[in-house]
Amino acid sequence: MKWNYSFFSLLMAVSFIAAGALLPGLSVAQDAKVKAAMEVMKSKAENLGPPKIEGSDTVAGKQVPAIYFGSTKMNNNYDLVDGVVMQAGGTATIFVKSGANFVRVATNIKKDDGSRAIGTVLDPKGKAIASIQKDKPFYGEVDILGKLYVTGYEPIHDAANHVIGIYYVGYKK
């Protein structure tokens, strides 16, 4: 009986060590996947042209600035975000800066009712916004509409180098 208890203890210790060794690898793999998806997003956006704000538009009943890549308006246009997801999986969003907030104007993140979460605002108290306000990218775990995601957020700059929006990509955890 004593041998079985010792064997069981040893087996448990080895299991915890193995789990600890594997989980960081999983995290690194998820981070690499997010960074690769972000490169797809930025490359596709760059192919459309330089980012700019031109006028305003209504998104989910809210009046917000209209964000463009070249001559392609992103507000209520899902081609870019859906193209990223077709190529890299996960979820993708374009946010536009509207006052102190960042509003989802193109996304494939779904609300509980199955509709696209356009018009929703990036959590003003979240980890991502703190980095974006410092003009720095954010990569990490974030709660989005009640679900945990491994994410990447990067500022979108106009020709004058002002932050006018945010690129987002992520994967449900």
Side-chain angles (χ1 to χ4, degrees):
M1 190 74 159
K2 198 173 203 174
W3 182 83
N4 286 343
Y5 180 76
S6 296
F7 178 74
F8 178 73
S9 296
L10 177 62
L11 183 60
M12 289 299 291
V14 168
S15 296
F16 283 123
I17 291 168
L22 292 176
L23 288 178
L26 179 60
S27 178
V28 168
Q30 286 178 319
D31 290 346
K33 192 174 182 180
V34 170
K35 288 191 178 180
M38 182 62 76
E39 289 309 311
V40 169
M41 167 79 94
K42 290 167 53 178
S43 173
K44 286 182 174 295
E46 187 177 290
N47 287 340
L48 294 172
K52 65 184 175 185
I53 298 293
E54 194 170 283
S56 64
D57 196 11
T58 303
V59 175
K62 295 180 182 178
Q63 198 67 17
V64 297
I67 187 167
Y68 287 78
F69 290 106
S71 62
T72 305
K73 183 168 58 170
M74 293 291 103
N75 298 38
N76 302 301
N77 178 341
Y78 310 117
D79 293 344
L80 175 63
V81 294
D82 288 350
V84 171
V85 171
M86 283 178 57
Q87 190 169 338
T91 55
T93 297
I94 296 293
F95 290 89
V96 69
K97 185 172 187 187
S98 182
N101 292 317
F102 288 89
V103 178
R104 287 178 183 89
V105 295
T107 189
N108 47 41
I109 290 180
K110 301 283 173 51
K111 294 190 281 188
D112 288 339
D113 67 5
S115 65
R116 291 179 190 253
I118 59 168
T120 58
V121 175
L122 180 63
D123 182 355
K125 296 179 181 162
K127 297 181 265 184
I129 193 82
S131 286
I132 296 298
Q133 287 171 334
K134 295 175 187 167
D135 198 11
K136 302 216 179 294
F138 173 83
Y139 285 84
E141 291 182 11
V142 172
D143 180 299
I144 301 173
L145 304 176
K147 296 174 181 77
L148 197 57
Y149 288 78
V150 178
T151 67
Y153 294 81
E154 291 201 13
I156 300 171
H157 297 96
D158 65 9
N161 206 33
H162 297 115
V163 175
I164 60 169
I166 303 172
Y167 298 106
Y168 155 86
V169 294
Y171 296 87
K172 275 189 188 173
K173 187 149 173 131

